[in-house]
Amino acid sequence: MIKLPGLIDPHVHLREPGATHKEDFDSGTSAALAGGFTMVLAMPNTKPPIFDSTTLELALDAAKQKARCDYGQYIGAGPENVEIAASLAGKVAGLKMYLDSTFGELRLDDMSLWMPHFEKFPQSAPMVMHSESRTMAAAILFASIYNRPIHIAHISLKEEILLIKAAKEKGIKVTCEVCPHHLFLSKDDIPAISSGHPGRGEVRPRLAAKEDVDSLWENLDVIDCFATDHAPHTIEEKDGENPPPGFPGLETALPLLLTAVDLGRLTLDDLIEKMYVNPRKIFNLPEQPETWVEVDEDASYEVKASEQFTRCNWTPFEGWKVKGKIRKVVLRGQPAFEDGKILAGPGAGKNIR
Ligand code: DOR
Ligand code: ZN
């Protein structure tokens, strides 16, 4: 049995308000606990999006009643909420800037819309970018010009990891995260994931080439965090017309990464650094006393969507054999998950801000 600290996922979509048939703070934080996470930071591309104090209260009220693990809520950067977002910095996980298109309405197309957020959002509060490829290069230039830290979400490409490496070497304050699906899947896996339903392979950033995946593994030391980008959409939506992009990930991240540890692809210390130590530092997160995760590192099992707590009812890793089973999660001295059962009640989770 190995004991890990309560893991932190700085990038999840819990769909509340507005799409609780996909997930809500109850099912999403249950999935988190079952996956060994005791703290999650929720993204603002909900319905309505979280962009001011009224919408923030909507999310925080739901979370307060329903969350079973600790949580923070991001605010989204819009064209017209610069002052409001800055004034709410102390109450949110951070500012999320959507600089490339993805699921939801939040998007800042024009670089002139990025500038006021860089000027006004407090230097000490986290700023997270959805920025791919050349947009990411532009975001890093902004970090350099405004001399403030930024965190790049879900990098997936060789050109991205190499540029982040170079930027770090120049002293630019940039950190980044990689999702398990970009480490364990490439576009060659899309036919197997899709099994006749092309929508299942849709995710943003898209699954990349094998060369990109290899370069992420070769540059593990440049990766600050592993984040799931848990993006639940129901199996019916994924298989329907206009399938929305996104993969669930909370319940598969740790087993997949523990399997990689078993294979010698990374160390347990790397895992703890990227799923606990660095997220705490980058996002300025409080300690959770008497909180830990117990894992049976020798137990092998098969990933099955039918055994998951997420409401979306599918996983791109269906049938994968993994080694490392989460047996027990303790949150602030209380058993929160044990042998497949969620023990923490709704409302047990606390707002980290
Ligand atoms: O695939 C994705 N789905 N990428 C994102 O950036 C957003 C997410 C979602 O909210 O569904
Ligand atoms: Zn996301």
Side-chain angles (χ1 to χ4, degrees), residues 85-164:
S87 74
L88 293 169
K91 293 188 173 177
V92 297
L95 180 72
K96 177 70 183 287
M97 298 182 71
Y98 286 94
L99 309 182
D100 283 308
S101 62
T102 183
F103 185 71
E105 300 152 38
L106 289 167
R107 166 120 167 249
L108 295 173
D109 289 307
D110 190 323
M111 280 192 287
S112 64
L113 299 174
W114 311 3
M115 289 175 193
H117 284 290
F118 270 86
E119 278 158 16
K120 297 278 162 58
F121 201 69
Q123 292 269 339
S124 57
M127 229 186 204
V128 177
M129 311 288 153
H130 180 133
S131 59
E132 301 180 30
S133 187
R134 293 173 191 198
T135 314
M136 188 202 80
I140 293 175
L141 181 61
F142 268 66
S144 172
I145 292 170
Y146 289 89
N147 188 29
R148 65 148 298 145
I150 62 166
H151 180 79
I152 311 284
H154 43 49
I155 67 162
S156 62
L157 301 176
K158 180 176 177 180
E159 62 176 28
E160 292 170 346
I161 191 104
L162 294 182
L163 190 70
I164 288 177

Side-chain angles (χ1 to χ4, degrees), residues 69-70 287-292 330-334 348-350:
C69 74
D70 291 355
E287 194 185 346
Q288 296 176 297
E290 287 184 81
T291 297
W292 70 86
V330 176
L331 175 58
R332 279 185 288 281
Q334 301 296 316
K350 284 191 170 30

Side-chain angles (χ1 to χ4, degrees), residues 65-69 342-349:
Q65 290 173 39
K66 296 189 188 177
R68 297 173 191 255
C69 74
I342 304 291
L343 303 176

Side-chain angles (χ1 to χ4, degrees), residues 54-285:
T54 311
T55 48
L56 179 62
E57 285 314 313
L58 275 180
L60 291 180
D61 282 350
K64 190 173 185 182
Q65 290 173 39
K66 296 189 188 177
R68 297 173 191 255
C69 74
D70 291 355
Y71 58 87
Q73 172 65 53
Y74 287 95
I75 190 165
E80 273 152 23
N81 72 342
V82 174
E83 310 285 342
I84 295 165
S87 74
L88 293 169
K91 293 188 173 177
V92 297
L95 180 72
K96 177 70 183 287
M97 298 182 71
Y98 286 94
L99 309 182
D100 283 308
S101 62
T102 183
F103 185 71
E105 300 152 38
L106 289 167
R107 166 120 167 249
L108 295 173
D109 289 307
D110 190 323
M111 280 192 287
S112 64
L113 299 174
W114 311 3
M115 289 175 193
H117 284 290
F118 270 86
E119 278 158 16
K120 297 278 162 58
F121 201 69
Q123 292 269 339
S124 57
M127 229 186 204
V128 177
M129 311 288 153
H130 180 133
S131 59
E132 301 180 30
S133 187
R134 293 173 191 198
T135 314
M136 188 202 80
I140 293 175
L141 181 61
F142 268 66
S144 172
I145 292 170
Y146 289 89
N147 188 29
R148 65 148 298 145
I150 62 166
H151 180 79
I152 311 284
H154 43 49
I155 67 162
S156 62
L157 301 176
K158 180 176 177 180
E159 62 176 28
E160 292 170 346
I161 191 104
L162 294 182
L163 190 70
I164 288 177
K165 183 174 184 211
K168 285 182 173 189
E169 282 163 6
K170 287 276 182 211
I172 298 174
K173 296 167 187 157
V174 57
T175 54
C176 69
E177 68 192 30
V178 171
C179 304
H181 53 265
H182 291 124
L183 282 173
F184 295 100
L185 299 170
S186 74
K187 60 183 172 196
D188 302 341
D189 296 302
I190 294 176
I193 298 168
S194 306
S195 53
H197 304 277
R200 291 192 205 175
E202 290 291 340
V203 67
R204 298 292 177 276
R206 290 183 166 83
L207 294 180
K210 186 74 176 48
E211 191 191 346
D212 294 301
V213 176
D214 291 344
S215 124
L216 297 178
W217 282 103
E218 281 157 22
N219 291 284
L220 270 186
D221 57 326
V222 181
I223 300 170
D224 299 281
C225 308
F226 294 137
T228 66
D229 194 9
H230 179 77
H233 299 286
T234 66
I235 187 79
E236 292 79 15
E237 291 163 337
K238 293 295 278 181
D239 293 353
E241 302 247 314
N242 291 324
F247 292 167
L250 279 167
E251 290 160 273
T252 44
L254 181 57
L256 287 167
L257 288 161
L258 285 169
T259 307
V261 170
D262 185 59
L263 294 170
R265 302 187 79 186
L266 77 164
T267 67
L268 203 54
D269 281 348
D270 292 333
L271 187 151
I272 293 168
E273 180 186 74
K274 297 176 202 307
M275 300 179 88
Y276 171 71
V277 179
N278 291 344
R280 262 197 75 197
K281 260 191 246 163
I282 293 165
F283 297 92
N284 197 8
L285 299 169

